[in-house]
Amino acid sequence: MKKINNITLGCDPELFLERDGEIVSAIGLIGGSKDEPKPISEKGHAIQEDNVLMEFCIPPAKTVEEFTESINFVKNHLTIITAAMGCKPNYSASAILAEKELDSDKAKEFGCDPDFNVYTQGMNEPPNAESNMRSAGGHIHIGFDKSEMTMEEADETVERLVKAMDMTVGLKSLALDKDDRRKELYGKAGCFRFKPYGMEYRTPSNFWIATDELIAWAWNTTYEAINLVNSGLVDELSDKYSEQIVKAINENNKSLAIELLEKIGEYSLQVA
């Protein structure tokens, strides 16, 4: 197994729009779309509308300082432009919207591109479009050097990364993310997309973009996953614990997550 190097991290978090204490639709207010994000800098920061939410992306970062600075740059931009509308960003991971805020075709669009489950090796079903609940993701993108890998090796590396992210970010986020509803729509274990530069891990909500400390947590915990892949232990750990990992993440089982993190840590130390 080849180690991954030349790593960059990115993200595409979603945020709700709040006015007078109520969550309102961002459709027609923010601009940009999945196909044509709206640039807000020359470096690659951009915003867009996704369903009723605001979404943003940042340029690939090589350091935690770059990562944090880019996220804060867009958060500040969204705070300024929404204030002019009498609104503000809302960092909730899920919300129930009034019927009037969902009265458009765009508000009923889910899952513009398919995502995959690393454990079933199949595509995930899109959420129920009839629900008035919407959720905000905090997807983490990992780029790495594929130049000396075959396509099969690159795909296998992505799958190992997804499993390692579940073992680190996925399990640890259960103690930090206060939202228990989002997984009714999104955020199940092993959820990802292949990307030309690497992969997109789609399990976490947006909880980790709220503060600099949580942003650093996301960066550092993602690197724990990368180190786990480079250690060569992921396949063994997945064979041993994947069923329980899926159960813990999908059922928001915090006590099981703590137990698994202890076992994974102890196993890694024993093998090392």
Side-chain angles (χ1 to χ4, degrees):
M1 186 194 77
K2 293 179 180 176
K3 292 188 176 182
I4 48 178
N5 53 53
N6 295 331
I7 295 156
T8 57
L9 299 190
C11 59
D12 62 337
E14 299 162 331
L15 295 169
F16 287 104
L17 185 62
E18 179 182 329
R19 179 188 290 130
D20 298 330
E22 300 291 331
I23 301 298
V24 297
S25 171
I27 295 172
L29 299 177
I30 304 302
S33 66
K34 287 286 188 185
D35 294 331
E36 294 186 23
K38 181 179 178 180
I40 60 171
S41 80
E42 295 179 354
K43 295 181 179 180
H45 306 84
I47 59 175
Q48 63 193 53
E49 299 169 8
D50 183 9
N51 198 282
V52 297
L53 292 95
M54 306 180 286
E55 182 177 338
F56 69 82
C57 60
I58 63 171
K62 292 187 176 181
T63 68
V64 66
E65 291 80 12
E66 290 178 355
F67 193 61
T68 305
E69 182 180 354
S70 278
I71 292 170
N72 285 335
F73 174 83
V74 189
K75 285 168 58 179
N76 291 337
H77 177 86
L78 289 172
T79 297
I80 292 168
I81 66 169
T82 57
M85 309 169 192
C87 300
K88 65 179 181 179
N90 179 294
Y91 290 82
S92 299
S94 67
I96 306 293
L97 275 75
E99 195 68 39
K100 64 180 181 179
E101 303 297 337
L102 303 173
D103 188 21
S104 73
D105 291 339
K106 190 172 181 180
K108 295 177 173 61
E109 290 177 2
F110 287 94
C112 52
D113 296 313
D115 57 20
F116 300 89
N117 184 315
V118 75
Y119 303 107
T120 66
Q121 296 287 298
M123 287 191 296
N124 291 313
E125 291 291 327
N128 177 12
E130 300 303 315
S131 171
N132 280 30
M133 186 171 81
R134 298 295 183 268
S135 66
H139 310 151
I140 298 173
H141 296 240
I142 304 175
F144 59 91
D145 186 0
K146 298 182 179 181
S147 61
E148 295 184 4
M149 295 181 181
T150 64
M151 186 177 294
E152 183 179 2
E153 287 172 335
D155 287 352
E156 289 173 350
T157 298
V158 165
E159 292 179 7
R160 288 189 176 100
L161 269 171
V162 177
K163 292 175 181 178
M165 289 291 278
D166 272 355
M167 294 174 196
T168 53
V169 174
L171 290 176
K172 291 185 176 184
S173 67
L174 296 184
L176 299 171
D177 187 354
K178 306 308 179 186
D179 181 89
D180 288 335
R181 295 187 305 186
R182 176 174 171 264
K183 287 189 174 67
E184 295 176 25
L185 297 177
Y186 287 109
K188 298 290 175 56
C191 185
F192 77 105
R193 283 181 182 149
F194 290 103
K195 292 291 184 178
Y197 48 80
M199 55 88 79
E200 174 188 4
Y201 180 61
R202 294 173 55 80
T203 296
S205 80
N206 64 353
F207 80 93
W208 61 267
I209 68 166
T211 67
D212 286 2
E213 290 77 17
L214 285 171
I215 293 169
W217 171 88
W219 177 279
N220 293 331
T221 311
T222 297
Y223 262 85
E224 288 179 18
I226 292 165
N227 292 335
L228 204 54
V229 172
N230 282 340
S231 75
L233 293 176
V234 171
D235 291 343
E236 297 172 51
L237 287 167
S238 183
D239 288 344
K240 197 173 182 66
Y241 298 119
S242 63
E243 187 174 335
Q244 290 175 286
I245 290 169
V246 171
K247 178 180 175 65
I249 293 174
N250 289 358
E251 297 179 8
N252 284 305
N253 190 326
K254 296 173 176 58
S255 59
L256 178 57
I258 292 169
E259 180 184 326
L260 285 165
L261 287 167
E262 290 175 353
K263 289 179 178 179
I264 289 167
E266 289 171 0
Y267 185 86
S268 300
L269 285 173
Q270 288 171 5
V271 174

